[in-house]
Amino acid sequence: MFHYTMETAKSPEQAIAALQENLKEEKFGVLWQLDMKEKLNEKGVDFDQTYHILEVCNPVEAKRVLSENSLVGYFLPCKIAVYDEGGTTKIGLPKPTALIGFVENEALMGIAEDIEKRLIAVIDKSR
């Protein structure tokens, strides 16, 4: 699977608040948050699903991977999606290891494994 997704009993807003707090413990910050429903409706496109995309970054890790290979910037910042699907809140992310696999670099894969483990732990803790 290219992604990690789990369900939570929290509302999307509660899940986002928990994520923001738990990301800090891993030295990640939310750079930007996109409310897809709001943005699409603003553009005249009817979209009723609650769907948020958080772009998150740990600056030290970003420097490490970009210093190894500039193409990794195509995958940065990391994204975490929080959305409602059929009345259930889901939190997920594309796995950094799946994305880094496209670059075919073992040094980067080790870094991606560590970042993935940390972000999955944040998601699990935010449940």
Side-chain angles (χ1 to χ4, degrees), residues 11 14 30 42 51 65 87-88 91 118 123:
S11 70
Q14 291 169 326
V30 177
E42 174 187 304
Y51 204 107
V65 295
T88 301
I91 306 171
R118 291 162 61 194
I123 288 172

Side-chain angles (χ1 to χ4, degrees), residues 67-111:
S67 296
E68 182 72 29
N69 188 322
S70 296
L71 290 175
V72 176
Y74 294 3
F75 311 132
L76 298 180
C78 295
K79 291 180 177 33
I80 297 177
V82 179
Y83 57 99
D84 178 86
E85 188 171 73
T88 301
T89 301
K90 296 189 177 186
I91 306 171
L93 78 156
K95 290 182 176 179
T97 54
L99 298 173
I100 291 294
F102 291 118
V103 180
E104 298 176 3
N105 178 311
E106 284 305 311
L108 285 173
M109 187 57 76
I111 297 169

